[in-house]
């Protein structure tokens, strides 16, 4: 038995959306960048195509084939796992068009972009070996998007990565030596170049960090005989201090439970995913109270993707789980629940910089 999650977890969102979608996003330096959304569509995962649109889903244009798109905070870059026939495992597209930059060898690893640093300079990528007999090529790599240099900062099986929100380019990640369910997994912190690495947890059961102003949210697992581990969301200081359990949801035998996806840039709000057998459902968590609430009810599954900068809105994929990308629908839903706004009628795996 292995640890399984149907979604990428621990990516820090640096986005904002309100009732009316703005045309630009204000950055900490005072500069503004175009507000955009990236997503995939197509008749199958193998033929998925990456698209970039404005914040409301209009004026879209095609970037190339691929899956798992991740939009940089400055809106200039979209990283995506390459299609099945590609030589490179990862493409980094320019929003303005042109040939993508290509990284890693698809015959050796799969590459999934999981987090950009707030200044968009660094991109964290989870690598998984394509050799079923060895995990030697698996690990966490960081790409410097200014120089295209690549640094492998951790080896092993990676369970989430998230950059600090304070522009320090530090990154928190969870790593285990193998995919085995009993392999110890702990959260570590390091610089983008791998300097100053140290462990924040030492229990062997901590995964999927999501770093926000309130601290680092993460999943702590409880092993269960004959079943997948059960997850609850915890919160600790950026130095690993004062870990405290936030959620106490029941986790049936066929379920894995809750794990963080993204923290609001202003703090206080978190999006998590309740996962398990044929299940991946977005939940919201108020960090001040620990209150966890399912987002939406009934109908197709609502899979979480990101949260707005102010914590008011959640980016979701409705109906794309286990279906072709074109059968999904990309929406923005208020954090507290309510009417959804459709951003793309046919799409999946969204990412935004709003």
């Amino acid at each position: 038995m292995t640890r399984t999650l149907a979604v990428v977890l621990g990516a820090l969102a640096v986005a904002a959306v309100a009732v009316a979608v703005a045309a630009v996003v204000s950055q900490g330096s005072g500069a503004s960048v175009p507000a955009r959304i990236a997503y995939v569509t197509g008749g199958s995962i193998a033929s998925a195509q990456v698209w970039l649109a404005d914040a409301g889903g209009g004026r879209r244009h095609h970037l190339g084939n691929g899956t798992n798109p991740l939009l940089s905070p400055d809106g200039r870059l979209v990283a995506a796992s390459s299609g099945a026939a590609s030589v490179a495992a990862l493409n980094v597209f320019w929003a303005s068009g042109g040939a993508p930059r290509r990284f890693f060898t698809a015959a050796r690893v799969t590459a999934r972009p999981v987090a950009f640093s707030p200044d968009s300079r660094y991109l964290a990528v989870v690598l998984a070996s394509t050799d079923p007999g060895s995990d030697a090529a698996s690990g966490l790599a960081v790409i410097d998007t200014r120089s295209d240099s690549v640094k492998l900062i951790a080896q092993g099986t990676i369970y989430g990565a998230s950059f600090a929100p304070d522009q320090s380019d530090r990154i928190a990640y969870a790593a285990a030596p193998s995919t085995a369910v009993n392999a110890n997994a702990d959260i570590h912190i390091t610089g983008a170049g791998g300097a100053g690495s140290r462990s924040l947890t030492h229990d062997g059961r901590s995964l999927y960090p999501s770093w926000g102003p309130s601290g680092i949210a993460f999943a702590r697992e409880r092993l269960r005989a004959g079943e997948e581990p059960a997850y609850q969301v915890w919160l600790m200081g950026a130095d690993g201090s004062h870990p405290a359990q936030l959620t106490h949801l029941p986790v049936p035998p066929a379920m894995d439970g809750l794990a963080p996806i993204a923290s609001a840039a202003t703090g206080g709000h978190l999006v998590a995913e309740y996962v398990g057998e044929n299940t991946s459902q977005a939940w919201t968590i108020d960090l001040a109270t620990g209150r966890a609430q399912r987002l939406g009810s009934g109908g197709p599954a609502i899979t979480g993707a990101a949260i707005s900068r102010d914590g008011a809105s959640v980016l979701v994929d409705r109906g794309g789980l286990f279906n072709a990308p074109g059968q999904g629908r990309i929406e923005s839903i208020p954090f507290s629940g309510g009417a959804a706004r459709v951003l793309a009628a046919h799409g999946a795996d969204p990412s935004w910089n709003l």
Side-chain angles (χ1 to χ4, degrees):
M1 188 176 295
T2 60
R3 294 181 173 111
T4 58
L5 279 180
V7 293
V8 174
L9 302 167
L12 175 65
V14 285
V17 88
V19 175
V21 178
V24 295
V25 180
S26 178
Q27 301 292 287
S29 62
S32 295
V33 300
R36 290 170 167 155
I37 182 170
Y39 60 94
V40 298
T41 190
S44 69
I45 294 295
S47 63
Q49 302 294 310
V50 181
W51 292 80
L52 185 67
D54 64 23
R59 294 186 294 181
R60 73 170 192 164
H61 64 276
H62 180 241
L63 296 180
N65 58 358
T67 59
N68 313 313
L70 184 67
L71 180 64
S72 64
D74 64 11
R76 296 173 61 246
L77 302 172
V78 178
S81 303
S82 297
S86 300
V87 174
L90 183 84
N91 287 327
V92 179
F93 299 99
W94 292 101
S96 57
R101 290 175 279 175
R102 306 182 192 279
F103 299 89
F104 312 110
T105 303
R108 186 167 182 258
V109 296
T110 61
R112 184 162 190 161
V114 293
F116 272 102
S117 60
D119 61 6
S120 301
R121 176 171 179 174
Y122 296 105
L123 168 65
V125 182
V126 171
L127 305 177
S129 174
T130 57
D131 180 356
S134 172
D135 292 328
S138 300
L140 182 67
V142 173
I143 298 172
D144 186 329
T145 64
R146 295 181 187 175
S147 65
D148 285 349
S149 62
V150 179
K151 178 73 173 181
L152 185 67
I153 64 170
Q155 290 184 296
T157 302
I158 305 301
Y159 295 98
S162 182
F163 280 96
D166 61 4
Q167 306 287 333
S168 65
D169 292 329
R170 294 175 296 163
I171 185 170
Y173 65 92
S178 76
T179 58
V181 70
N182 60 349
N184 284 352
D186 276 302
I187 296 172
H188 311 269
I189 187 173
T190 185
S197 179
R198 63 188 180 90
S199 297
L200 296 184
T201 66
H202 302 85
D203 52 54
R205 308 264 70 90
S206 297
L207 313 94
Y208 303 109
S210 181
W211 199 339
S214 301
I216 298 175
F218 64 101
R220 179 163 284 174
E221 65 181 4
R222 175 175 56 85
L223 297 182
R224 299 183 292 183
E227 300 290 343
E228 291 291 334
Y231 295 96
Q232 299 289 349
V233 176
W234 288 57
L235 183 69
M236 64 181 171
D239 59 357
S241 62
H242 308 298
Q245 186 172 344
L246 290 178
T247 65
H248 299 81
L249 294 182
V251 182
M255 297 292 107
D256 295 306
L258 277 176
I261 296 176
S263 302
T266 53
H269 297 83
L270 180 75
V271 176
E273 200 76 1
Y274 191 92
V275 294
E277 185 177 349
N278 299 322
T279 300
S280 186
Q281 174 66 44
W283 283 60
T284 58
I285 300 174
D286 185 316
L287 295 181
T289 65
R291 182 173 184 267
Q293 178 179 338
R294 177 175 173 169
L295 196 62
S297 61
I302 298 174
T303 302
I307 188 170
S308 62
R309 175 177 292 274
D310 61 4
S313 302
V314 180
L315 180 67
V316 304
D317 166 1
R318 186 190 295 265
L321 183 66
F322 306 130
N323 293 315
Q327 293 181 277
R329 187 169 72 232
I330 297 166
E331 300 175 344
S332 172
I333 301 179
F335 180 88
S336 57
R341 175 177 184 177
V342 177
L343 303 179
H346 303 283
D349 290 338
S351 176
W352 63 9
N353 73 328
L354 305 178

